[in-house]
Amino acid sequence: MNEIDYLRLSVTDRCNLNCFYCRPDKNLVQLPPKEILSFEEIVKFLNLATHWGIKHVRVTGGEPLVRRNIVSLVKMLSSVQGIEELTMTTNGLRLAELALPLKEAGLSRINVSLDSLDRRKFSEITGCDELGEVLRGIAAARRVGLDPIKVNMVLLKGFNEEEIFHFVSFALENCLLVRFIEHMPINEIGGKRWYIPNTEVRERIQKKWGPLEPVDSSPGKGPAHYFRVNKRQPTLGFISPLSEPFCDSCNRLRLTADGKLRSCLLSGFEVDLKGVLREGAPRETMKELYEKVIRNKPKHHHFEFPYAGRFMFEIGG
Ligand code: SAM
């Protein structure tokens, strides 16, 4: 069993984008505010979880930057003893305005999800004509030193695959880490219709730029494999849950915005942490639940029956 030291903390199920493969129906029911963990409840849990091994917390959502007073939450989290790294995954839409306060509040670095560098295509995928704002957000994050910035691109067959080269150039020109992510058929949205194996993506890149040189020490302990293009910085990462599964090295848990602790994105198993937090249950009860989640960590993803019980934006991608 791997050491579990990484928590993906979803702070809201709301999002200001509607990517068709993630949050397809604009009218999806959203959680009532009273169902969402308060800042104090999150911190109470983390003050325990850091004793049980959690060292890295990644704030996510929905879209974390739409949670009211998110900067205050980041400040509270960065003061929790034992959190060695505090990071965030965002769509970048509010980053231009928030990069500096987030940095000052103690955020170490940031990942930005961006699936297209073409304005029309970006609007088609997200339902929102705001590519310029995301690019301004990335520039602001660089200015304030939320480094290294990782740009995550989910490849969607027939939609944005012609932009692979554009993203490689974007990485090289801006000294960013671009990571190509295989689309997962969660809850059967799209099935495997948009899936392109990363092996194929690497081949396409090598045909144009020459051999990619693997980098042994990845920045961060995550599931990506990193490569150098033309002996430059490690500029490209590949996250391949379907073609190169990384369950063997998985070190993470997930806490949903409504306080369910999950051991895996794709297993429906979760426990109600919010209930015990609100009952004021003793530390031992919380620890039992925590250990139960770890014991129920599946050995492998099951993409043959990809039913996660919830959508990606509800779990926290
Ligand atoms: N709003 C934040 C963001 O955009 O990064 C955090 C939440 S979002 C759900 C996290 C990531 O999950 C995004 O990069 C999104 O593209 C990715 N994602 C959503 N559905 C996916 C799927 N079926 N397969 C692979 N990645 C997915």
Side-chain angles (χ1 to χ4, degrees), residues 151-153 155 164 168 177-182 196-206 212-215 218-219 222-229 234-246:
V151 173
N152 291 335
M153 181 211 197
L155 270 158
I164 294 171
V168 177
L177 269 161
V178 164
R179 307 193 303 176
F180 297 102
I181 302 180
E182 289 177 353
I196 310 174
N198 262 336
T199 38
E200 191 183 316
V201 178
R202 277 202 291 272
E203 265 167 38
R204 290 195 209 174
I205 294 171
Q206 297 198 99
L212 290 174
E213 188 190 328
V215 179
S218 306
H225 292 125
Y226 289 96
F227 293 83
R228 280 198 185 90
V229 185
T235 47
L236 299 182
F238 296 84
I239 302 183
S240 319
L242 278 84
S243 68
E244 298 166 313
F246 36 82

mmCIF file of all heavy atoms in Angstrom, residues 151-153 155 164 168 177-182 196-206 212-215 218-219 222-229 234-246:
data_model
loop_
_atom_site.group_PDB
_atom_site.id
_atom_site.type_symbol
_atom_site.label_atom_id
_atom_site.label_comp_id
_atom_site.label_asym_id
_atom_site.label_seq_id
_atom_site.Cartn_x
_atom_site.Cartn_y
_atom_site.Cartn_z
ATOM 1 N N VAL A 151 -0.125 23.582 -17.450
ATOM 2 C CA VAL A 151 -1.344 23.777 -18.243
ATOM 3 C C VAL A 151 -1.826 22.393 -18.654
ATOM 4 O O VAL A 151 -1.098 21.638 -19.308
ATOM 5 C CB VAL A 151 -1.060 24.658 -19.477
ATOM 6 C CG1 VAL A 151 -2.271 24.713 -20.399
ATOM 7 C CG2 VAL A 151 -0.675 26.066 -19.035
ATOM 8 N N ASN A 152 -3.023 22.055 -18.231
ATOM 9 C CA ASN A 152 -3.568 20.720 -18.499
ATOM 10 C C ASN A 152 -4.536 20.771 -19.669
ATOM 11 O O ASN A 152 -5.528 21.499 -19.635
ATOM 12 C CB ASN A 152 -4.325 20.192 -17.269
ATOM 13 C CG ASN A 152 -3.379 19.874 -16.124
ATOM 14 O OD1 ASN A 152 -2.196 19.606 -16.338
ATOM 15 N ND2 ASN A 152 -3.875 19.903 -14.909
ATOM 16 N N MET A 153 -4.238 19.996 -20.696
ATOM 17 C CA MET A 153 -5.107 19.959 -21.870
ATOM 18 C C MET A 153 -5.712 18.570 -22.012
ATOM 19 O O MET A 153 -4.980 17.586 -22.197
ATOM 20 C CB MET A 153 -4.291 20.272 -23.124
ATOM 21 C CG MET A 153 -5.135 20.269 -24.380
ATOM 22 S SD MET A 153 -4.224 19.751 -25.821
ATOM 23 C CE MET A 153 -5.286 20.331 -27.146
ATOM 24 N N LEU A 155 -7.291 16.004 -24.244
ATOM 25 C CA LEU A 155 -7.398 15.814 -25.696
ATOM 26 C C LEU A 155 -8.720 15.169 -26.056
ATOM 27 O O LEU A 155 -9.110 14.163 -25.460
ATOM 28 C CB LEU A 155 -6.236 14.949 -26.177
ATOM 29 C CG LEU A 155 -5.034 15.800 -26.572
ATOM 30 C CD1 LEU A 155 -3.768 14.995 -26.518
ATOM 31 C CD2 LEU A 155 -5.242 16.416 -27.945
ATOM 32 N N ILE A 164 -2.458 19.980 -30.991
ATOM 33 C CA ILE A 164 -1.336 19.406 -30.218
ATOM 34 C C ILE A 164 -0.058 20.219 -30.448
ATOM 35 O O ILE A 164 0.610 20.642 -29.499
ATOM 36 C CB ILE A 164 -1.110 17.922 -30.599
ATOM 37 C CG1 ILE A 164 -2.311 17.083 -30.168
ATOM 38 C CG2 ILE A 164 0.176 17.385 -29.969
ATOM 39 C CD1 ILE A 164 -2.305 15.641 -30.683
ATOM 40 N N VAL A 168 2.407 22.495 -27.931
ATOM 41 C CA VAL A 168 3.853 22.285 -27.716
ATOM 42 C C VAL A 168 4.576 23.622 -27.885
ATOM 43 O O VAL A 168 5.404 24.014 -27.047
ATOM 44 C CB VAL A 168 4.424 21.229 -28.692
ATOM 45 C CG1 VAL A 168 5.932 21.082 -28.497
ATOM 46 C CG2 VAL A 168 3.732 19.876 -28.493
ATOM 47 N N LEU A 177 4.769 24.154 -18.369
ATOM 48 C CA LEU A 177 4.646 22.699 -18.489
ATOM 49 C C LEU A 177 3.263 22.399 -19.041
ATOM 50 O O LEU A 177 2.266 22.639 -18.362
ATOM 51 C CB LEU A 177 4.747 22.073 -17.109
ATOM 52 C CG LEU A 177 6.121 21.673 -16.648
ATOM 53 C CD1 LEU A 177 6.129 21.504 -15.145
ATOM 54 C CD2 LEU A 177 6.495 20.361 -17.312
ATOM 55 N N VAL A 178 3.218 21.922 -20.268
ATOM 56 C CA VAL A 178 1.914 21.532 -20.818
ATOM 57 C C VAL A 178 1.767 20.027 -20.632
ATOM 58 O O VAL A 178 2.700 19.262 -20.904
ATOM 59 C CB VAL A 178 1.805 21.916 -22.312
ATOM 60 C CG1 VAL A 178 0.649 21.187 -22.982
ATOM 61 C CG2 VAL A 178 1.609 23.422 -22.458
ATOM 62 N N ARG A 179 0.594 19.616 -20.150
ATOM 63 C CA ARG A 179 0.349 18.181 -19.942
ATOM 64 C C ARG A 179 -0.870 17.746 -20.745
ATOM 65 O O ARG A 179 -1.933 18.376 -20.686
ATOM 66 C CB ARG A 179 0.128 17.896 -18.455
ATOM 67 C CG ARG A 179 1.298 18.473 -17.634
ATOM 68 C CD ARG A 179 1.330 17.990 -16.250
ATOM 69 N NE ARG A 179 0.128 18.245 -15.492
ATOM 70 C CZ ARG A 179 -0.052 17.814 -14.243
ATOM 71 N NH1 ARG A 179 0.876 17.097 -13.653
ATOM 72 N NH2 ARG A 179 -1.155 18.097 -13.589
ATOM 73 N N PHE A 180 -0.684 16.693 -21.509
ATOM 74 C CA PHE A 180 -1.777 16.150 -22.300
ATOM 75 C C PHE A 180 -2.460 15.052 -21.480
ATOM 76 O O PHE A 180 -1.805 14.134 -20.986
ATOM 77 C CB PHE A 180 -1.250 15.575 -23.611
ATOM 78 C CG PHE A 180 -0.622 16.628 -24.490
ATOM 79 C CD1 PHE A 180 0.756 16.764 -24.577
ATOM 80 C CD2 PHE A 180 -1.418 17.505 -25.213
ATOM 81 C CE1 PHE A 180 1.342 17.743 -25.368
ATOM 82 C CE2 PHE A 180 -0.849 18.490 -26.008
ATOM 83 C CZ PHE A 180 0.536 18.607 -26.085
ATOM 84 N N ILE A 181 -3.768 15.168 -21.364
ATOM 85 C CA ILE A 181 -4.525 14.234 -20.519
ATOM 86 C C ILE A 181 -5.510 13.442 -21.377
ATOM 87 O O ILE A 181 -6.236 14.025 -22.189
ATOM 88 C CB ILE A 181 -5.300 15.017 -19.423
ATOM 89 C CG1 ILE A 181 -4.305 15.829 -18.589
ATOM 90 C CG2 ILE A 181 -6.126 14.085 -18.545
ATOM 91 C CD1 ILE A 181 -4.917 16.634 -17.474
ATOM 92 N N GLU A 182 -5.509 12.140 -21.184
ATOM 93 C CA GLU A 182 -6.488 11.307 -21.908
ATOM 94 C C GLU A 182 -7.884 11.525 -21.337
ATOM 95 O O GLU A 182 -8.065 11.559 -20.107
ATOM 96 C CB GLU A 182 -6.119 9.824 -21.755
ATOM 97 C CG GLU A 182 -4.881 9.451 -22.536
ATOM 98 C CD GLU A 182 -4.458 7.994 -22.349
ATOM 99 O OE1 GLU A 182 -5.048 7.290 -21.501
ATOM 100 O OE2 GLU A 182 -3.521 7.566 -23.035
ATOM 101 N N ILE A 196 -8.079 9.632 -27.220
ATOM 102 C CA ILE A 196 -6.886 9.429 -28.058
ATOM 103 C C ILE A 196 -5.792 8.952 -27.116
ATOM 104 O O ILE A 196 -5.489 9.642 -26.129
ATOM 105 C CB ILE A 196 -6.378 10.743 -28.699
ATOM 106 C CG1 ILE A 196 -7.510 11.499 -29.392
ATOM 107 C CG2 ILE A 196 -5.221 10.477 -29.655
ATOM 108 C CD1 ILE A 196 -7.087 12.860 -29.906
ATOM 109 N N PRO A 197 -5.172 7.780 -27.381
ATOM 110 C CA PRO A 197 -4.110 7.335 -26.471
ATOM 111 C C PRO A 197 -2.904 8.274 -26.536
ATOM 112 O O PRO A 197 -2.540 8.736 -27.624
ATOM 113 C CB PRO A 197 -3.748 5.937 -26.980
ATOM 114 C CG PRO A 197 -4.462 5.742 -28.264
ATOM 115 C CD PRO A 197 -5.431 6.857 -28.481
ATOM 116 N N ASN A 198 -2.306 8.533 -25.396
ATOM 117 C CA ASN A 198 -1.163 9.455 -25.366
ATOM 118 C C ASN A 198 0.042 8.923 -26.137
ATOM 119 O O ASN A 198 0.878 9.704 -26.577
ATOM 120 C CB ASN A 198 -0.782 9.771 -23.912
ATOM 121 C CG ASN A 198 -1.385 11.092 -23.453
ATOM 122 O OD1 ASN A 198 -1.699 11.965 -24.275
ATOM 123 N ND2 ASN A 198 -1.555 11.251 -22.158
ATOM 124 N N THR A 199 0.119 7.590 -26.300
ATOM 125 C CA THR A 199 1.216 7.038 -27.103
ATOM 126 C C THR A 199 1.146 7.630 -28.515
ATOM 127 O O THR A 199 2.163 8.003 -29.106
ATOM 128 C CB THR A 199 1.081 5.500 -27.189
ATOM 129 O OG1 THR A 199 -0.302 5.178 -27.311
ATOM 130 C CG2 THR A 199 1.653 4.823 -25.977
ATOM 131 N N GLU A 200 -0.063 7.759 -29.021
ATOM 132 C CA GLU A 200 -0.257 8.321 -30.364
ATOM 133 C C GLU A 200 0.114 9.812 -30.384
ATOM 134 O O GLU A 200 0.717 10.298 -31.340
ATOM 135 C CB GLU A 200 -1.732 8.123 -30.741
ATOM 136 C CG GLU A 200 -2.043 8.394 -32.177
ATOM 137 C CD GLU A 200 -3.545 8.234 -32.458
ATOM 138 O OE1 GLU A 200 -4.157 7.241 -31.975
ATOM 139 O OE2 GLU A 200 -4.096 9.117 -33.130
ATOM 140 N N VAL A 201 -0.224 10.497 -29.301
ATOM 141 C CA VAL A 201 0.080 11.934 -29.222
ATOM 142 C C VAL A 201 1.606 12.126 -29.236
ATOM 143 O O VAL A 201 2.147 12.970 -29.953
ATOM 144 C CB VAL A 201 -0.528 12.547 -27.939
ATOM 145 C CG1 VAL A 201 -0.179 14.023 -27.810
ATOM 146 C CG2 VAL A 201 -2.039 12.337 -27.922
ATOM 147 N N ARG A 202 2.316 11.275 -28.450
ATOM 148 C CA ARG A 202 3.782 11.376 -28.406
ATOM 149 C C ARG A 202 4.381 11.117 -29.790
ATOM 150 O O ARG A 202 5.285 11.814 -30.219
ATOM 151 C CB ARG A 202 4.357 10.376 -27.400
ATOM 152 C CG ARG A 202 4.314 10.899 -25.980
ATOM 153 C CD ARG A 202 5.322 10.182 -25.095
ATOM 154 N NE ARG A 202 4.970 8.803 -24.850
ATOM 155 C CZ ARG A 202 4.190 8.408 -23.840
ATOM 156 N NH1 ARG A 202 3.674 9.286 -23.008
ATOM 157 N NH2 ARG A 202 3.928 7.135 -23.667
ATOM 158 N N GLU A 203 3.834 10.105 -30.488
ATOM 159 C CA GLU A 203 4.344 9.807 -31.837
ATOM 160 C C GLU A 203 4.194 11.000 -32.761
ATOM 161 O O GLU A 203 5.103 11.351 -33.505
ATOM 162 C CB GLU A 203 3.562 8.630 -32.429
ATOM 163 C CG GLU A 203 4.233 7.301 -32.226
ATOM 164 C CD GLU A 203 3.293 6.152 -32.546
ATOM 165 O OE1 GLU A 203 2.511 6.272 -33.508
ATOM 166 O OE2 GLU A 203 3.321 5.160 -31.791
ATOM 167 N N ARG A 204 3.019 11.629 -32.697
ATOM 168 C CA ARG A 204 2.787 12.777 -33.575
ATOM 169 C C ARG A 204 3.790 13.890 -33.276
ATOM 170 O O ARG A 204 4.321 14.523 -34.174
ATOM 171 C CB ARG A 204 1.373 13.326 -33.371
ATOM 172 C CG ARG A 204 0.283 12.414 -33.889
ATOM 173 C CD ARG A 204 -1.019 13.198 -33.988
ATOM 174 N NE ARG A 204 -2.165 12.328 -33.808
ATOM 175 C CZ ARG A 204 -3.424 12.762 -33.733
ATOM 176 N NH1 ARG A 204 -3.683 14.048 -33.815
ATOM 177 N NH2 ARG A 204 -4.432 11.930 -33.572
ATOM 178 N N ILE A 205 4.063 14.111 -31.975
ATOM 179 C CA ILE A 205 4.979 15.193 -31.594
ATOM 180 C C ILE A 205 6.407 14.849 -32.040
ATOM 181 O O ILE A 205 7.130 15.693 -32.566
ATOM 182 C CB ILE A 205 4.922 15.430 -30.066
ATOM 183 C CG1 ILE A 205 3.533 15.969 -29.686
ATOM 184 C CG2 ILE A 205 6.009 16.397 -29.612
ATOM 185 C CD1 ILE A 205 3.272 16.052 -28.193
ATOM 186 N N GLN A 206 6.776 13.563 -31.890
ATOM 187 C CA GLN A 206 8.157 13.167 -32.247
ATOM 188 C C GLN A 206 8.390 13.295 -33.745
ATOM 189 O O GLN A 206 9.491 13.604 -34.175
ATOM 190 C CB GLN A 206 8.435 11.751 -31.752
ATOM 191 C CG GLN A 206 8.341 11.693 -30.234
ATOM 192 C CD GLN A 206 9.003 10.478 -29.624
ATOM 193 O OE1 GLN A 206 10.126 10.575 -29.149
ATOM 194 N NE2 GLN A 206 8.309 9.354 -29.632
ATOM 195 N N LEU A 212 11.589 12.597 -28.105
ATOM 196 C CA LEU A 212 11.330 13.230 -26.810
ATOM 197 C C LEU A 212 12.199 12.525 -25.784
ATOM 198 O O LEU A 212 12.278 11.300 -25.773
ATOM 199 C CB LEU A 212 9.858 13.058 -26.417
ATOM 200 C CG LEU A 212 8.834 13.836 -27.232
ATOM 201 C CD1 LEU A 212 7.416 13.455 -26.811
ATOM 202 C CD2 LEU A 212 9.033 15.336 -27.063
ATOM 203 N N GLU A 213 12.842 13.309 -24.941
ATOM 204 C CA GLU A 213 13.763 12.723 -23.964
ATOM 205 C C GLU A 213 13.057 12.616 -22.611
ATOM 206 O O GLU A 213 12.665 13.642 -22.032
ATOM 207 C CB GLU A 213 14.969 13.663 -23.860
ATOM 208 C CG GLU A 213 16.102 13.145 -23.051
ATOM 209 C CD GLU A 213 17.125 14.268 -22.820
ATOM 210 O OE1 GLU A 213 17.272 15.138 -23.687
ATOM 211 O OE2 GLU A 213 17.728 14.254 -21.741
ATOM 212 N N PRO A 214 12.871 11.377 -22.107
ATOM 213 C CA PRO A 214 12.169 11.253 -20.820
ATOM 214 C C PRO A 214 12.956 11.893 -19.685
ATOM 215 O O PRO A 214 14.185 11.882 -19.692
ATOM 216 C CB PRO A 214 12.056 9.744 -20.596
ATOM 217 C CG PRO A 214 12.733 9.089 -21.737
ATOM 218 C CD PRO A 214 13.319 10.103 -22.654
ATOM 219 N N VAL A 215 12.229 12.453 -18.744
ATOM 220 C CA VAL A 215 12.856 13.089 -17.579
ATOM 221 C C VAL A 215 12.541 12.212 -16.383
ATOM 222 O O VAL A 215 11.378 11.910 -16.125
ATOM 223 C CB VAL A 215 12.255 14.490 -17.359
ATOM 224 C CG1 VAL A 215 12.875 15.165 -16.154
ATOM 225 C CG2 VAL A 215 12.431 15.337 -18.605
ATOM 226 N N SER A 218 10.243 13.803 -11.952
ATOM 227 C CA SER A 218 9.118 14.633 -12.352
ATOM 228 C C SER A 218 8.937 15.753 -11.341
ATOM 229 O O SER A 218 9.151 15.548 -10.157
ATOM 230 C CB SER A 218 7.846 13.802 -12.363
ATOM 231 O OG SER A 218 8.036 12.688 -13.152
ATOM 232 N N PRO A 219 8.520 16.940 -11.808
ATOM 233 C CA PRO A 219 8.179 17.983 -10.850
ATOM 234 C C PRO A 219 6.864 17.624 -10.162
ATOM 235 O O PRO A 219 5.832 17.588 -10.790
ATOM 236 C CB PRO A 219 8.014 19.234 -11.729
ATOM 237 C CG PRO A 219 8.132 18.793 -13.145
ATOM 238 C CD PRO A 219 8.299 17.312 -13.194
ATOM 239 N N GLY A 222 3.067 13.424 -9.028
ATOM 240 C CA GLY A 222 1.819 13.016 -9.667
ATOM 241 C C GLY A 222 1.962 11.937 -10.716
ATOM 242 O O GLY A 222 3.039 11.358 -10.902
ATOM 243 N N PRO A 223 0.882 11.664 -11.431
ATOM 244 C CA PRO A 223 0.845 10.565 -12.376
ATOM 245 C C PRO A 223 1.436 10.879 -13.752
ATOM 246 O O PRO A 223 1.477 10.003 -14.611
ATOM 247 C CB PRO A 223 -0.661 10.315 -12.510
ATOM 248 C CG PRO A 223 -1.304 11.632 -12.233
ATOM 249 C CD PRO A 223 -0.414 12.320 -11.244
ATOM 250 N N ALA A 224 1.919 12.096 -13.966
ATOM 251 C CA ALA A 224 2.386 12.455 -15.321
ATOM 252 C C ALA A 224 3.780 11.902 -15.596
ATOM 253 O O ALA A 224 4.607 11.779 -14.691
ATOM 254 C CB ALA A 224 2.400 13.978 -15.466
ATOM 255 N N HIS A 225 4.018 11.551 -16.860
ATOM 256 C CA HIS A 225 5.375 11.258 -17.327
ATOM 257 C C HIS A 225 5.847 12.482 -18.095
ATOM 258 O O HIS A 225 5.129 12.975 -18.964
ATOM 259 C CB HIS A 225 5.371 10.039 -18.265
ATOM 260 C CG HIS A 225 5.034 8.770 -17.545
ATOM 261 N ND1 HIS A 225 4.019 7.938 -17.931
ATOM 262 C CD2 HIS A 225 5.589 8.210 -16.446
ATOM 263 C CE1 HIS A 225 3.953 6.913 -17.099
ATOM 264 N NE2 HIS A 225 4.898 7.054 -16.188
ATOM 265 N N TYR A 226 7.079 12.919 -17.771
ATOM 266 C CA TYR A 226 7.559 14.176 -18.369
ATOM 267 C C TYR A 226 8.661 13.931 -19.396
ATOM 268 O O TYR A 226 9.447 12.995 -19.269
ATOM 269 C CB TYR A 226 8.072 15.117 -17.279
ATOM 270 C CG TYR A 226 6.948 15.667 -16.434
ATOM 271 C CD1 TYR A 226 6.609 15.067 -15.222
ATOM 272 C CD2 TYR A 226 6.208 16.756 -16.866
ATOM 273 C CE1 TYR A 226 5.561 15.550 -14.455
ATOM 274 C CE2 TYR A 226 5.153 17.247 -16.113
ATOM 275 C CZ TYR A 226 4.838 16.645 -14.909
ATOM 276 O OH TYR A 226 3.800 17.115 -14.160
ATOM 277 N N PHE A 227 8.705 14.823 -20.384
ATOM 278 C CA PHE A 227 9.682 14.705 -21.476
ATOM 279 C C PHE A 227 10.234 16.074 -21.846
ATOM 280 O O PHE A 227 9.529 17.083 -21.745
ATOM 281 C CB PHE A 227 8.995 14.122 -22.725
ATOM 282 C CG PHE A 227 8.565 12.696 -22.556
ATOM 283 C CD1 PHE A 227 7.363 12.394 -21.928
ATOM 284 C CD2 PHE A 227 9.364 11.657 -23.011
ATOM 285 C CE1 PHE A 227 6.955 11.077 -21.754
ATOM 286 C CE2 PHE A 227 8.961 10.335 -22.847
ATOM 287 C CZ PHE A 227 7.763 10.043 -22.218
ATOM 288 N N ARG A 228 11.493 16.042 -22.332
ATOM 289 C CA ARG A 228 12.096 17.267 -22.867
ATOM 290 C C ARG A 228 11.922 17.277 -24.379
ATOM 291 O O ARG A 228 12.086 16.260 -25.039
ATOM 292 C CB ARG A 228 13.605 17.274 -22.610
ATOM 293 C CG ARG A 228 13.950 17.680 -21.227
ATOM 294 C CD ARG A 228 15.428 18.097 -21.132
ATOM 295 N NE ARG A 228 15.710 18.356 -19.740
ATOM 296 C CZ ARG A 228 16.145 17.426 -18.900
ATOM 297 N NH1 ARG A 228 16.386 16.204 -19.312
ATOM 298 N NH2 ARG A 228 16.354 17.731 -17.638
ATOM 299 N N VAL A 229 11.632 18.453 -24.896
ATOM 300 C CA VAL A 229 11.593 18.633 -26.343
ATOM 301 C C VAL A 229 12.869 19.390 -26.692
ATOM 302 O O VAL A 229 13.133 20.439 -26.104
ATOM 303 C CB VAL A 229 10.389 19.518 -26.762
ATOM 304 C CG1 VAL A 229 10.278 19.592 -28.284
ATOM 305 C CG2 VAL A 229 9.102 19.015 -26.147
ATOM 306 N N PRO A 234 11.956 20.283 -18.957
ATOM 307 C CA PRO A 234 10.871 19.302 -19.141
ATOM 308 C C PRO A 234 9.593 20.067 -19.447
ATOM 309 O O PRO A 234 9.004 20.691 -18.583
ATOM 310 C CB PRO A 234 10.786 18.594 -17.794
ATOM 311 C CG PRO A 234 11.583 19.407 -16.860
ATOM 312 C CD PRO A 234 12.479 20.308 -17.622
ATOM 313 N N THR A 235 9.200 20.075 -20.680
ATOM 314 C CA THR A 235 8.098 20.957 -21.077
ATOM 315 C C THR A 235 6.791 20.219 -21.298
ATOM 316 O O THR A 235 5.750 20.831 -21.310
ATOM 317 C CB THR A 235 8.422 21.698 -22.382
ATOM 318 O OG1 THR A 235 8.922 20.743 -23.289
ATOM 319 C CG2 THR A 235 9.410 22.808 -22.162
ATOM 320 N N LEU A 236 6.878 18.895 -21.494
ATOM 321 C CA LEU A 236 5.638 18.189 -21.795
ATOM 322 C C LEU A 236 5.391 17.074 -20.795
ATOM 323 O O LEU A 236 6.297 16.353 -20.413
ATOM 324 C CB LEU A 236 5.701 17.566 -23.194
ATOM 325 C CG LEU A 236 5.872 18.519 -24.356
ATOM 326 C CD1 LEU A 236 5.861 17.741 -25.664
ATOM 327 C CD2 LEU A 236 4.784 19.590 -24.371
ATOM 328 N N GLY A 237 4.130 16.957 -20.397
ATOM 329 C CA GLY A 237 3.748 15.850 -19.533
ATOM 330 C C GLY A 237 2.599 15.083 -20.172
ATOM 331 O O GLY A 237 1.844 15.640 -20.981
ATOM 332 N N PHE A 238 2.505 13.824 -19.820
ATOM 333 C CA PHE A 238 1.427 12.981 -20.365
ATOM 334 C C PHE A 238 0.761 12.255 -19.204
ATOM 335 O O PHE A 238 1.437 11.552 -18.450
ATOM 336 C CB PHE A 238 1.989 11.980 -21.374
ATOM 337 C CG PHE A 238 2.587 12.643 -22.585
ATOM 338 C CD1 PHE A 238 3.894 13.107 -22.569
ATOM 339 C CD2 PHE A 238 1.825 12.849 -23.723
ATOM 340 C CE1 PHE A 238 4.450 13.750 -23.661
ATOM 341 C CE2 PHE A 238 2.362 13.492 -24.827
ATOM 342 C CZ PHE A 238 3.681 13.945 -24.805
ATOM 343 N N ILE A 239 -0.528 12.432 -19.073
ATOM 344 C CA ILE A 239 -1.287 11.742 -18.026
ATOM 345 C C ILE A 239 -2.244 10.807 -18.740
ATOM 346 O O ILE A 239 -3.125 11.244 -19.491
ATOM 347 C CB ILE A 239 -2.047 12.753 -17.129
ATOM 348 C CG1 ILE A 239 -1.039 13.720 -16.505
ATOM 349 C CG2 ILE A 239 -2.844 12.023 -16.052
ATOM 350 C CD1 ILE A 239 -1.632 14.727 -15.538
ATOM 351 N N SER A 240 -2.036 9.525 -18.516
ATOM 352 C CA SER A 240 -2.681 8.531 -19.372
ATOM 353 C C SER A 240 -3.443 7.499 -18.554
ATOM 354 O O SER A 240 -3.031 6.334 -18.473
ATOM 355 C CB SER A 240 -1.605 7.824 -20.216
ATOM 356 O OG SER A 240 -0.650 8.739 -20.691
ATOM 357 N N PRO A 241 -4.559 7.892 -17.954
ATOM 358 C CA PRO A 241 -5.269 6.950 -17.082
ATOM 359 C C PRO A 241 -5.750 5.697 -17.791
ATOM 360 O O PRO A 241 -5.870 4.646 -17.157
ATOM 361 C CB PRO A 241 -6.456 7.773 -16.560
ATOM 362 C CG PRO A 241 -6.566 8.958 -17.459
ATOM 363 C CD PRO A 241 -5.205 9.209 -18.011
ATOM 364 N N LEU A 242 -5.980 5.783 -19.107
ATOM 365 C CA LEU A 242 -6.464 4.593 -19.806
ATOM 366 C C LEU A 242 -5.317 3.765 -20.376
ATOM 367 O O LEU A 242 -5.272 2.556 -20.194
ATOM 368 C CB LEU A 242 -7.442 4.980 -20.935
ATOM 369 C CG LEU A 242 -8.869 5.231 -20.462
ATOM 370 C CD1 LEU A 242 -9.039 6.642 -19.952
ATOM 371 C CD2 LEU A 242 -9.873 4.952 -21.552
ATOM 372 N N SER A 243 -4.363 4.430 -21.063
ATOM 373 C CA SER A 243 -3.334 3.642 -21.753
ATOM 374 C C SER A 243 -2.144 3.301 -20.862
ATOM 375 O O SER A 243 -1.430 2.345 -21.135
ATOM 376 C CB SER A 243 -2.872 4.364 -23.020
ATOM 377 O OG SER A 243 -2.179 5.531 -22.684
ATOM 378 N N GLU A 244 -1.867 4.123 -19.838
ATOM 379 C CA GLU A 244 -0.744 3.835 -18.928
ATOM 380 C C GLU A 244 -1.231 4.075 -17.499
ATOM 381 O O GLU A 244 -0.838 5.062 -16.865
ATOM 382 C CB GLU A 244 0.448 4.764 -19.222
ATOM 383 C CG GLU A 244 1.022 4.607 -20.609
ATOM 384 C CD GLU A 244 1.962 5.756 -21.010
ATOM 385 O OE1 GLU A 244 1.613 6.923 -20.817
ATOM 386 O OE2 GLU A 244 3.046 5.455 -21.518
ATOM 387 N N PRO A 245 -2.124 3.199 -16.989
ATOM 388 C CA PRO A 245 -2.745 3.477 -15.694
ATOM 389 C C PRO A 245 -1.710 3.595 -14.574
ATOM 390 O O PRO A 245 -0.659 2.959 -14.627
ATOM 391 C CB PRO A 245 -3.647 2.264 -15.451
ATOM 392 C CG PRO A 245 -3.615 1.442 -16.675
ATOM 393 C CD PRO A 245 -2.519 1.921 -17.562
ATOM 394 N N PHE A 246 -2.025 4.458 -13.598
ATOM 395 C CA PHE A 246 -1.048 4.737 -12.545
ATOM 396 C C PHE A 246 -1.593 4.393 -11.169
ATOM 397 O O PHE A 246 -1.162 4.946 -10.152
ATOM 398 C CB PHE A 246 -0.614 6.203 -12.609
ATOM 399 C CG PHE A 246 -1.738 7.141 -13.002
ATOM 400 C CD1 PHE A 246 -2.663 7.592 -12.084
ATOM 401 C CD2 PHE A 246 -1.865 7.548 -14.322
ATOM 402 C CE1 PHE A 246 -3.685 8.443 -12.453
ATOM 403 C CE2 PHE A 246 -2.903 8.395 -14.708
ATOM 404 C CZ PHE A 246 -3.817 8.852 -13.764
#
